[in-house]
Amino acid sequence: MKTAFDTRPLRKTDVREKNEKLVLYLVREKGPISQSEVVQETGLKPPTIMRIFNNLHAQKLIQLDESVAAGHDRPGRKAVRYNVNPNAFYAVGIDFYARLVSVVVEGFSGNVVGKTVVDLPDNMQANAVLFEVKKAVWKTLSETGIQQDKIVGIGIGSPGVVDTSSGTVVFYSRIEGMQDFPIKNEIEETFGVPTIVHNNCSVIAQSEYRYGPFQGVGSLIVLLVRGGLGGAFVQNGRAFVNQTRTAFELGHMSVDFRSAPCGENGERGCLERWITESALLQAAHVSSHEELDEALVRRDERVLESLEEPCQALSEAVLTLSNILNPEAFVVVARSAALAEHLARKIELRHDRGRYTSRGLHIRFHGRVFDPLLACRGAIDLVMDRFFAAEIPVPRAPVQDTEVPT
């Protein structure tokens, strides 16, 4: 009988590393924190916690909380608490698609130390885009003065269908040559650090789940309106993946089989005929998302009327998704804040008139402006999740033979 968990026994070294990562996670998330508080949180024995704290301190991963150190002249014994060392190591997050590359570097405590955003010219091929991604990373590291051996890993939010196991972009139609494209291997060979690749909408969705207005909901669907229409379903904090590939390629959901084909050889009536950034700008007869944003804010009747058909197409698709999955929330993300909110309100109105399984459920709808920093933060979370699961090692610093105060 097959089981749903790994049946291989853990070695002592495996248990030790997982316990160290657990303690380090608690210090990072709940610090400043004392050894006794970690004992209460984990149930591990005090000698074990003392040994782990000694190891983490020797590796310069944790440090004495400065506010405690500053208060040592006060009478009475003070609880010794620790924070992580924000400069212990760094992680890189990348978000890109056909028109934009964003790179963020964070310290171990989650502090942003550098960022770069690069606009891409039209019609770039896959190798040229990859070169721009690498250049943006090099530029950010150079400006911050961070050495490669201090990087624990690189997380990438990529457009298109992604094989998360191999780190390959299976297919993305808007960048020529981005088919079976081994982006993980390319980045690892260049920078020499572990690299995790996921679909960019899935990465943004996980960021919305962790940091957005619906933190902690059981399930949500994110719709990303940029070069195409991306989608992601997050349940209990994890984006849905099937057969190691990212799913929810909503842009090619057919909503009108009588309509024209999508591209030269595509299916008829794909949703991306109506819902992409360029398609919406064309429908509204404006030249930029900033201009569209302004028109929607002032409630330009001509623009509102021109968007009715695209809104109807998207609303029908979302109603179908709602009837299938019954998520607790839908989040529409676009570079125009007003567009994201407009689409969310139109979807909500259509949903309220629905007559199927989702009727009567409390489903919330929200529009969010695309935030490159948040997208890259989600990509960094790919790295940190693997790190705390003991799947990525600590970049090794010289070990000090010291004990920490208790």
Side-chain angles (χ1 to χ4, degrees), residues 1-9:
M1 182 180 70
K2 291 184 177 180
T3 63
F5 55 88
D6 191 343
T7 58
R8 292 173 296 179

Side-chain angles (χ1 to χ4, degrees), residues 16 32 51 63 88 92 103 148 199 228 234 261 278 348 358 396 405:
R16 185 179 299 118
R51 175 184 57 77
Q63 60 189 20
V92 178
V103 174
Q148 277 183 246
N199 170 264
V234 174
S278 59
E348 183 176 23
S358 58
R396 290 299 176 187

Side-chain angles (χ1 to χ4, degrees), residues 102-248:
S102 306
V103 174
V104 167
V105 178
E106 281 189 1
F108 183 36
S109 63
N111 51 312
V112 175
V113 297
K115 57 183 177 180
T116 300
V117 178
V118 179
D119 289 315
L120 299 178
D122 293 336
N123 302 319
M124 291 191 76
Q125 294 189 348
N127 286 326
V129 172
L130 179 62
F131 180 69
E132 292 298 325
V133 169
K134 292 178 180 179
K135 273 186 18 180
V137 175
W138 282 124
K139 177 177 182 292
T140 313
L141 294 178
S142 176
E143 290 175 348
T144 57
I146 296 169
Q147 301 298 313
Q148 277 183 246
D149 60 5
K150 296 283 282 184
I151 302 297
V152 69
I154 297 175
I156 302 176
S158 167
V161 179
V162 175
D163 186 314
T164 58
S165 177
S166 65
T168 299
V169 181
V170 179
F171 180 71
Y172 178 55
S173 62
R174 285 177 171 75
I175 297 179
E176 185 179 348
M178 195 155 280
Q179 184 171 355
D180 297 324
F181 194 74
I183 190 168
K184 170 184 167 71
N185 291 343
E186 291 282 349
I187 295 295
E188 285 187 340
E189 287 179 9
T190 299
F191 296 99
V193 298
T195 300
I196 300 96
V197 186
H198 213 299
N199 170 264
N200 52 16
C201 187
S202 295
V203 169
I204 291 169
Q206 291 186 161
S207 291
E208 290 291 341
Y209 174 86
R210 295 183 181 187
Y211 312 114
F214 298 139
Q215 290 182 36
V217 297
S219 59
L220 65 86
I221 289 177
V222 170
L223 309 172
L224 177 62
V225 182
R226 290 199 303 191
L229 175 64
F233 176 59
V234 174
Q235 188 171 42
N236 299 323
R238 289 189 173 274
F240 178 74
V241 173
N242 200 18
Q243 299 187 67
T244 75
R245 291 188 180 186
T246 55
F248 275 75

Side-chain angles (χ1 to χ4, degrees), residues 9-24:
L10 292 176
R11 299 170 298 175
K12 287 184 178 180
T13 53
D14 296 329
V15 174
R16 185 179 299 118
E17 184 176 8
K18 284 185 178 294
N19 284 340
E20 283 195 358
K21 289 293 179 66
L22 171 60
V23 172
L24 189 57

